[in-house]
Amino acid sequence: MKILDMRSDTVSHPTQQMRQAIFEAEVGDDGHGEDPTVNRLQQMAADMFNKEAALLACSGTMGNLLGVMTNTQPGDEVVLGSEAHILWFEVGGASAVAGTLLRALPNDEQGRIAHADLEAALRMNHTHSRNMSLLCLENTHNRCGGAAISADYTDNIANIAHKNGLKVHLDGARIFNASVALNTPVSQLADSVDTVTFCLSKGLGGPVGSVLCGSAEAIERARRLRKMIGGQLRQAGIIAAAGIVALDSMIDRMADDHKNAKRLAEGLAQIEGVSVELDKVQTNMFRFTVADNISGNVLSERLIEKGIKFGAGGSSFRVVLHWQIDASDVDYILENVRSAVKALS
Ligand SMILES: Cc1ncc(COP(=O)(O)O)c(C=O)c1O
């Protein structure tokens, strides 16, 4: 039975082409900057984002931590949205490791901070307060259902931050989803930020790794910090080779994930007892809920028997599409959710 795992796009496996590239990868000691495949991936990423340099990190969490550490000093304050991944799901590393204070401003439903809220927070940035030195943004926004954030929004809020002496880091774990959904190059979506991280190991299908992009100076600092936190690897070309295939061949096809997400969401919305906020489905992820008379846990168990896995928690389900779920799988999923919900109603 094919397992249709939609708990996250992080569960996606490397493609055959990636496995071949890993097998054939030319490698060297990246601790000495001598891994040709890592260097090629980093150059490719820097070019795509129109930044001076880039650095391979072990994970999105490490890329974000490096983004925070590179742009701040211990004791500084970092402003970010109340639903930011850095705040919720990175084990407090920005505080525990980088020594920064996280200050959450309210997010709207798309994960955006209002300009007025940032301006109000900035008015408190004086000699007696902590030194607010960094604004963190996120695109697409994970906890806000994969919302794709426009370049205009990012430019305007980054402009306010910069005018007040703050740096801006963008958690672009899924920025290629935003790029495909908005038909805007990543270089434009990240044009006004100082550093940006993107993940190779989510919708791009790579097995491991993220890349931090920024100025040559920022990346040099990040390289030292990466060593400090134990993230410097040696023959990392093994990882980078798959990353190069991801950037070469897995971006445009994300449009299929978005199409499949939309069709799956629309199909689920037609099932009695299932609710989906269709207007929020913008990229490869969404949530649906089931009515009170249906046990979410039992539904989840029934679907797992059919090879269908959603991110489940009570009556709410998270659905994330990726390259291993195709259009015919969507039909199979809909058919099985329909019959399981009917049987449990
Ligand atoms: C928006 C966002 N940022 C960062 C990360 C961290 O990536 P990783 O789990 O690879 O460390 C994730 C992971 O899901 C994410 O969704």
Side-chain angles (χ1 to χ4, degrees):
M1 180 170 56
K2 181 177 176 185
I3 303 298
L4 303 169
D5 194 343
M6 292 161 283
R7 289 170 300 160
S8 176
D9 44 14
T10 58
V11 304
S12 63
H13 292 179
T15 62
Q16 214 42 49
Q17 201 190 342
M18 288 178 193
R19 291 169 193 264
Q20 190 61 35
I22 290 168
F23 181 69
E24 290 169 2
E26 205 186 333
V27 296
D29 188 342
D30 188 43
H32 296 138
E34 289 172 6
D35 188 303
T37 312
V38 171
N39 291 342
R40 193 143 56 89
L41 171 68
Q42 290 175 165
Q43 190 58 54
M44 224 173 144
D47 291 346
M48 287 175 107
F49 281 81
N50 198 23
K51 301 287 184 204
E52 286 174 354
L55 185 73
L56 178 64
C58 300
S59 64
T61 303
M62 181 179 281
N64 282 335
L65 181 59
L66 290 174
V68 171
M69 291 174 86
T70 298
N71 291 304
T72 60
Q73 297 293 334
D76 283 359
E77 185 172 83
V78 174
V79 205
L80 75 186
S82 50
E83 303 301 324
H85 194 276
I86 291 175
L87 181 65
W88 280 81
F89 297 129
E90 298 185 10
V91 206
S95 297
V97 185
T100 60
L101 288 104
L102 295 184
R103 167 123 173 233
L105 300 180
N107 273 159
D108 70 6
E109 286 199 334
Q110 305 257 306
R112 294 172 302 204
I113 298 166
H115 294 173
D117 288 339
L118 177 61
E119 278 160 349
L122 284 163
R123 281 197 284 278
M124 296 298 290
N125 199 20
H126 53 67
T127 46
H128 288 189
S129 68
R130 10 344 133 220
N131 178 40
M132 188 188 288
S133 61
L134 180 66
L135 168 69
C136 289
L137 305 172
E138 188 172 318
N139 196 8
T140 62
H141 202 291
N142 183 340
R143 279 178 65 82
C144 293
I149 312 291
S150 73
D152 274 355
Y153 168 80
T154 303
D155 290 350
N156 289 334
I157 198 135
N159 191 25
I160 297 171
H162 285 146
K163 271 194 191 145
N164 286 276
L166 274 69
K167 292 272 172 51
V168 182
H169 171 72
L170 174 60
D171 174 357
R174 296 185 180 81
I175 197 166
F176 286 101
N177 290 95
S179 169
V180 167
L182 299 169
N183 197 21
T184 307
V186 287
S187 57
Q188 204 175 322
L189 294 176
D191 183 45
S192 51
V193 306
D194 298 281
T195 51
V196 51
T197 319
F198 72 90
C199 291
L200 295 163
S201 57
K202 298 190 167 64
L204 289 176
V208 185
S210 291
V211 182
L212 178 74
C213 305
S215 68
E217 194 186 337
I219 295 304
E220 208 33 57
R221 185 163 147 76
R223 186 180 298 281
R224 288 178 59 78
L225 292 163
R226 184 184 66 171
K227 173 73 178 171
M228 185 197 284
I229 60 173
Q232 178 196 277
L233 299 171
R234 298 298 181 181
Q235 284 71 38
I238 298 287
I239 293 167
I244 291 170
V245 174
L247 291 180
D248 270 339
S249 64
M250 298 294 279
I251 298 171
D252 293 345
R253 62 145 310 285
M254 282 178 164
D256 292 341
D257 297 340
H258 300 176
K259 226 183 285 166
N260 289 337
K262 191 122 213 144
R263 194 159 71 80
L264 185 51
E266 283 168 357
L268 289 168
Q270 283 171 13
I271 300 172
E272 205 177 320
V274 175
S275 308
V276 192
E277 287 183 87
L278 287 176
D279 55 336
K280 287 196 183 155
V281 188
Q282 287 185 38
T283 57
N284 66 328
M285 62 172 80
F286 65 92
R287 282 189 169 276
F288 71 89
T289 52
V290 291
D292 290 345
N293 61 323
I294 300 163
S295 161
N297 293 343
V298 178
L299 177 62
S300 192
E301 281 164 21
R302 296 276 161 87
L303 292 173
I304 286 172
E305 284 165 16
K306 302 287 181 188
I308 299 168
K309 289 189 187 177
F310 296 125
S315 60
S316 172
F317 293 80
R318 180 181 193 234
V319 189
V320 188
L321 281 288
H322 52 81
W323 76 270
Q324 287 174 292
I325 312 289
D326 63 28
S328 67
D329 295 329
V330 171
D331 296 327
Y332 173 85
I333 296 160
L334 283 173
E335 196 182 301
N336 281 283
V337 176
R338 199 175 294 118
S339 55
V341 166
K342 195 168 174 199
L344 294 173
S345 297

